Amino acid sequence: FLLLAIDRGRMARWERIGVAALLLLSLLSHLTHIFAIGAMLVLLPIGMRLGGRPSSEWRGIFLTTLTLLAIGFASVVVTGAVVERVFGRKPLLVPLLTARFMADGPGLAYLRDHCDRPSFAACAWKDRSAVAAGEFLWSLDPARGGYMFADAQTRRAMSDQDTAFALAVLAEHPIAQGGRIAYNATRQMLRFEVDILNYHCAPGDRCWRSLPSRQRTVLLSSLGGRNLWPQMLVARLQQAIVAASVLLLLIWSVRGRSSTQADRDLLLWIGLFAIGAVVNALLGGGVSEPQPRYQARIIWLLPLMASIAALLWLRIRVGKKHG
């Protein structure tokens, strides 16, 4: 999307088609991508106008991306319709909001106050003193889990009531729940460290029991299988690089930026990335649960943009020196 946003006819036709196809593949792959790209698309005309760009520069890209978004959304609807026709029931979506709001506290408070006459399937867990979102959804420990132990009817009800329950909690506890959403999104924004190098499989654990013995042996004997990667060191290095990138981009925006087209393109990229990162953090932390892998998917763009800013800044300095 960022490449399309600054194209202005510079890419060959086949390149533009290839990038658009990759964008469509992304939109078909995950529902959160539709929200993130949609938010960036809304910002695109604003950024272009602030940069003094004519609408002819971005109107085509806007309409193309809008069409791709419509196809992505239609794929969700069509998938649901096909599943319902083939299996006789709609797809069962995991009640992420219910689990998140219960874990945040206001959801449990709502259940304790309103379940004298149960209106939500989640009332079955109104007596829990605390809930961890991930454990409530996936744990096989009866003391910690919940959703995995529910019968099919309860699961279906929780899925169907997920949005309604979240809206009810927000209506009753707007400040408390809104604050928790902001807090979790902020945590998500700051959590992007590499946490996938080691497999954390202790001797005797039932890791990869479903794999053929040869492949399982290879995995267990690898660096990750033996937990030998310096994961903490790599994570700290990554955090330092991202922090340095943010600092460089801030300094470049204030002192190093010129009025060239390339500088304006990079400034647009930074703005679009910022809104995309915020939406990604809201969906990852505020709706699901703060996990490094959510923000790690996009954090590499910051060092990339910082590198471009450094090259643009260097070009200006070299130009002045030889000018």
Side-chain angles (χ1 to χ4, degrees), residues 248-249 252 256 266 270 304-314:
L248 191 151
L249 287 171
W252 172 82
L266 181 58
I270 294 171
L304 173 66
M305 291 188 291
S307 300
I308 296 173
L311 290 172
L312 292 174
W313 201 348
L314 180 63

Side-chain angles (χ1 to χ4, degrees), residues 210-283:
S210 60
L211 292 180
S213 59
R214 182 178 177 182
Q215 281 70 29
R216 183 172 184 270
T217 300
V218 170
L219 280 173
L220 287 172
S221 61
S222 67
L223 290 176
R226 290 180 291 161
N227 301 319
L228 294 180
W229 281 107
Q231 190 159 292
M232 187 65 70
L233 177 63
V234 174
R236 294 295 175 264
L237 177 62
Q238 181 193 23
Q239 291 166 346
I241 291 173
V242 171
S245 299
V246 172
L247 181 61
L248 191 151
L249 287 171
L250 287 173
I251 296 174
W252 172 82
S253 299
V254 175
R255 299 191 59 182
R257 182 165 54 90
S258 68
S259 58
T260 65
Q261 187 68 68
D263 288 70
R264 291 199 295 270
D265 285 343
L266 181 58
L267 195 63
L268 177 66
W269 270 19
I270 294 171
L272 292 173
F273 171 80
I275 189 65
V278 168
V279 171
N280 191 64
L282 282 169
L283 294 173

Side-chain angles (χ1 to χ4, degrees), residues 61-75:
I61 300 303
F62 185 91
L63 294 175
T64 297
T65 307
L66 190 63
T67 301
L68 298 180
L69 279 168
I71 295 173
F73 182 76
S75 73

Side-chain angles (χ1 to χ4, degrees), residues 24-308:
L24 177 59
L25 179 62
S26 172
L27 294 170
L28 295 173
S29 298
H30 206 283
L31 185 61
T32 60
H33 300 175
I34 295 177
F35 290 105
I37 296 298
M40 289 192 285
L41 187 63
V42 170
L43 184 66
L44 180 62
I46 300 173
M48 290 292 193
R49 287 183 178 276
L50 290 176
R53 312 256 186 111
S55 59
S56 58
E57 279 193 13
W58 54 266
R59 188 187 300 117
I61 300 303
F62 185 91
L63 294 175
T64 297
T65 307
L66 190 63
T67 301
L68 298 180
L69 279 168
I71 295 173
F73 182 76
S75 73
V76 177
V77 177
V78 170
T79 299
V82 170
V83 170
E84 187 171 8
R85 182 175 181 84
V86 172
F87 297 101
R89 56 178 65 89
K90 296 184 295 183
L92 189 62
L93 300 178
V94 177
L96 293 172
L97 286 168
T98 298
R100 179 71 265 154
F101 284 21
M102 288 171 66
D104 288 340
L108 282 176
Y110 180 91
L111 293 176
R112 285 192 288 266
D113 293 340
H114 295 277
C115 283
D116 292 337
R117 294 183 176 181
S119 53
F120 292 106
C123 285
W125 295 276
K126 67 175 182 177
D127 295 326
R128 287 276 181 96
S129 58
V131 163
E135 291 181 345
F136 178 79
L137 290 174
W138 311 116
S139 177
L140 298 179
D141 180 353
R144 297 175 178 272
Y147 181 73
M148 297 295 288
F149 296 98
D151 56 40
Q153 183 178 357
T154 301
R155 289 191 191 185
R156 174 68 57 183
M158 291 181 71
S159 176
D160 293 340
Q161 298 168 357
D162 194 36
T163 300
F165 176 74
L167 291 175
V169 174
L170 276 170
E172 180 135 336
H173 303 281
I175 296 177
Q177 187 57 57
R180 294 301 302 180
I181 292 173
Y183 173 73
N184 288 325
T186 302
R187 283 181 60 208
Q188 182 63 81
M189 284 282 287
L190 299 176
R191 293 205 64 191
F192 50 81
E193 65 272 14
V194 174
D195 66 344
I196 58 173
L197 296 176
N198 292 322
Y199 302 131
H200 306 293
C201 189
D205 285 355
R206 297 181 58 84
C207 297
W208 309 301
R209 291 289 185 184
S210 60
L211 292 180
S213 59
R214 182 178 177 182
Q215 281 70 29
R216 183 172 184 270
T217 300
V218 170
L219 280 173
L220 287 172
S221 61
S222 67
L223 290 176
R226 290 180 291 161
N227 301 319
L228 294 180
W229 281 107
Q231 190 159 292
M232 187 65 70
L233 177 63
V234 174
R236 294 295 175 264
L237 177 62
Q238 181 193 23
Q239 291 166 346
I241 291 173
V242 171
S245 299
V246 172
L247 181 61
L248 191 151
L249 287 171
L250 287 173
I251 296 174
W252 172 82
S253 299
V254 175
R255 299 191 59 182
R257 182 165 54 90
S258 68
S259 58
T260 65
Q261 187 68 68
D263 288 70
R264 291 199 295 270
D265 285 343
L266 181 58
L267 195 63
L268 177 66
W269 270 19
I270 294 171
L272 292 173
F273 171 80
I275 189 65
V278 168
V279 171
N280 191 64
L282 282 169
L283 294 173
V287 174
S288 179
E289 190 168 24
Q291 298 182 48
R293 63 188 178 91
Y294 291 147
Q295 216 68 3
R297 296 183 299 190
I298 60 172
I299 204 66
W300 62 272
L301 284 166
L302 279 174
L304 173 66
M305 291 188 291
S307 300
I308 296 173

